[in-house]
């Protein structure tokens, strides 16, 4: 079932796979740029659409609300794409299909990081497990992307989210961060390792089938970093994942932890270490070096940042 076919060919292939299993398709109709129909499996129903556009043909499963039904449909699409002559191509299409989903399951582990763009302070990755019981509570709190919130609001929301949801925080302190960056020589691999750890840690005590993270680098990086439990889940990745409430909650917890850690470092070294990587950051870094020496930077800063190059000016 590849996008080399038109929408009608894809529908006929999907229909044949469904009927082989004794399942039912009904309420077929043509819609703008596509086809819509209802799939019925063991009294479970879901609306499926197939769209055809400039980028090819794709499935839209955003209206399949039942998780068991969604999983079965995913299996049909995935198995139909298993062509040994075009493995790489079809794997890419599977990932694209997962990212095209607009409505995610209510039960979801969301992950996000903070400190990635900050010269001073650690890298923090947080994971939050959201389900039907706590989803509405998070909405009522006004949980949204941490980048839209003040530090004070983030601190308040982080406390409340921790009371409502299972969560996990992975803190990579500066010394460890610099060691890992030298080992991986790639920030995206380091991020993937952290996201995978947060997911694995949450799966220890929470039975969940789905996780969502922001998309960065090669989409296979997190999958490769997951261990045995993590490899059993469906991992979604998409740009601006903070629009989804589970990831927004993770972004708030991660940012709050980063800010608190930065404050502790500032107190320890009696110097207000700024966020970000601005001109002010360079000025404070120079002050830090004059007080404590350049070698001590590995304990408070990310040494691969270009900020380091300005310290000799």
């Amino acid at each position: 079932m590849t996008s080399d076919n038109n929408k009608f060919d894809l529908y006929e292939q999907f229909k044949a796979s469904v009927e082989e299993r004794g399942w039912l398709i009904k309420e077929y109709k043509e819609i703008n740029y596509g086809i819509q129909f209802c799939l019925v499996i063991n009294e479970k129903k879901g609306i499926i659409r197939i769209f055809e556009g400039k980028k090819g043909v794709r499935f839209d499963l955003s209206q399949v609300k039942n998780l068991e039904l969604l999983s079965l449909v995913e299996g049909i699409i995935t198995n139909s794409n298993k062509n040994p002559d075009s493995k790489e191509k079809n794997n890419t299409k599977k990932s694209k299909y997962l990212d095209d989903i607009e409505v995610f399951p209510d039960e979801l582990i969301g992950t996000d990081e903070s400190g990635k763009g900050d010269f001073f302070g650690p890298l923090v990755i947080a994971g939050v497990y959201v389900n039907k019981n706590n989803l509405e509570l998070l909405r009522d709190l006004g949980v949204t992307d941490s980048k839209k919130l003040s530090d004070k609001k983030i601190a308040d929301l982080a406390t409340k989210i921790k009371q409502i949801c299972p969560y996990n925080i992975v803190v990579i302190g500066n010394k460890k961060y610099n060691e890992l960056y030298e080992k991986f020589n790639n920030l995206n691999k380091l991020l993937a390792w952290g996201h995978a750890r947060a997911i694995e840690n949450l799966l220890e005590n929470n039975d969940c089938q789905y996780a969502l993270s922001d998309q960065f680098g090669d989409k296979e990086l997190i999958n490769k970093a997951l261990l045995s439990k993590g490899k059993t889940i469906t991992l979604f990745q998409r740009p601006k994942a903070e629009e989804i409430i589970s990831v927004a909650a993770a972004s708030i917890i991660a940012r709050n932890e980063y800010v608190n850690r930065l404050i502790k470092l500032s107190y320890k070294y009696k110097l207000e270490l700024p966020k970000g990587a601005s001109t002010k950051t360079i000025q404070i870094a120079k002050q830090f070096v004059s007080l404590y020496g350049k070698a001590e930077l590995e304990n408070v800063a990310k040494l691969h940042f270009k900020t380091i190059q300005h310290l000799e000016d």
Side-chain angles (χ1 to χ4, degrees), residues 42-268:
N42 301 329
E43 299 183 353
K44 298 179 178 66
K45 298 180 181 179
I47 299 296
I48 297 175
R49 295 169 180 146
I50 301 176
F51 288 108
E52 184 172 4
K54 292 180 179 179
K55 295 184 179 180
V57 184
R58 67 176 179 86
F59 282 92
D60 172 18
L61 304 186
S62 62
Q63 301 306 306
V64 182
K65 307 299 184 183
N66 183 279
L67 295 185
E68 182 180 350
L69 184 60
L70 178 63
S71 179
L72 291 171
V73 175
E74 287 177 2
I76 295 173
I77 296 171
T78 302
N79 289 334
S80 298
N81 274 340
K82 286 182 178 178
N83 181 342
D85 295 329
S86 56
K87 182 177 180 182
E88 182 178 350
K89 178 180 178 181
N90 286 326
N91 280 345
T92 301
K93 292 189 181 300
K94 179 187 174 187
S95 295
K96 183 180 185 303
Y97 148 70
L98 291 175
D99 297 336
D100 280 342
I101 290 179
E102 296 174 1
V103 179
F104 290 89
D106 290 339
E107 189 174 37
L108 190 66
I109 292 174
T111 62
D112 201 14
E113 76 281 334
S114 185
K116 178 175 68 174
D118 301 281
F119 177 67
F120 287 113
L123 176 66
V124 180
I125 299 97
V128 175
Y129 169 63
V130 174
N131 58 26
K132 291 181 180 179
N133 296 326
N134 55 36
L135 181 60
E136 289 305 318
L137 295 173
L138 294 177
R139 284 183 177 144
D140 291 342
L141 286 175
V143 169
T144 188
D145 181 7
S146 63
K147 291 190 285 294
K148 300 178 180 179
L149 303 171
S150 66
D151 286 351
K152 183 178 179 182
K153 184 64 174 178
I154 286 172
D156 177 59
L157 284 174
T159 299
K160 292 175 180 176
I161 293 168
K162 291 176 182 179
Q163 294 170 346
I164 294 171
C165 302
Y167 67 94
N168 184 260
I169 303 173
V170 176
V171 179
I172 306 176
N174 289 99
K175 187 171 183 179
K176 185 66 175 177
Y177 176 97
N178 291 317
E179 291 173 0
L180 287 173
Y181 187 87
E182 188 172 343
K183 174 184 175 181
F184 292 131
N185 196 30
N186 184 294
L187 178 57
N188 287 335
K189 288 183 180 179
L190 201 162
L191 284 169
W193 179 86
H195 279 259
R197 296 292 73 72
I199 292 170
E200 291 283 350
N201 293 342
L202 276 169
L203 289 174
E204 286 294 326
N205 298 305
N206 301 280
D207 185 16
C208 185
Q209 297 301 311
Y210 301 93
L212 169 66
S213 79
D214 198 37
Q215 181 181 318
F216 54 86
D218 186 341
K219 297 173 190 176
E220 287 301 308
L221 288 175
I222 298 180
N223 277 318
K224 290 177 181 177
L226 287 167
L227 302 177
S228 56
K229 284 184 178 293
K231 291 189 184 301
T232 66
I233 68 170
T234 298
L235 175 65
F236 301 101
Q237 297 177 69
R238 57 160 281 189
K240 298 182 180 179
E242 300 89 348
E243 295 173 351
I244 309 303
I245 202 161
S246 59
V247 178
S251 77
I252 288 170
I253 288 181
R255 193 60 179 175
N256 185 62
E257 186 69 23
Y258 168 79
V259 169
N260 288 340
R261 297 269 178 163
L262 189 66
I263 290 171
K264 288 180 181 178
L265 283 174
S266 297
Y267 180 80
K268 177 180 178 180

Side-chain angles (χ1 to χ4, degrees), residues 278-301:
S278 63
T279 302
K280 182 180 179 182
T281 306
I282 297 170
Q283 294 171 351
I284 298 298
K286 288 181 177 180
Q287 282 184 249
F288 183 93
V289 170
S290 68
L291 290 169
Y292 302 103
K294 194 170 183 179
E296 188 64 18
L297 273 175
E298 72 169 0
N299 294 313
V300 299

Side-chain angles (χ1 to χ4, degrees), residues 22-37:
W23 300 335
L24 179 65
I25 285 181
K26 62 180 186 177
E27 298 175 16
Y28 169 96
K29 65 178 181 180
E30 293 183 29
I31 58 176
N32 288 338
Y33 307 108
I35 296 168
Q36 175 178 299
F37 53 92

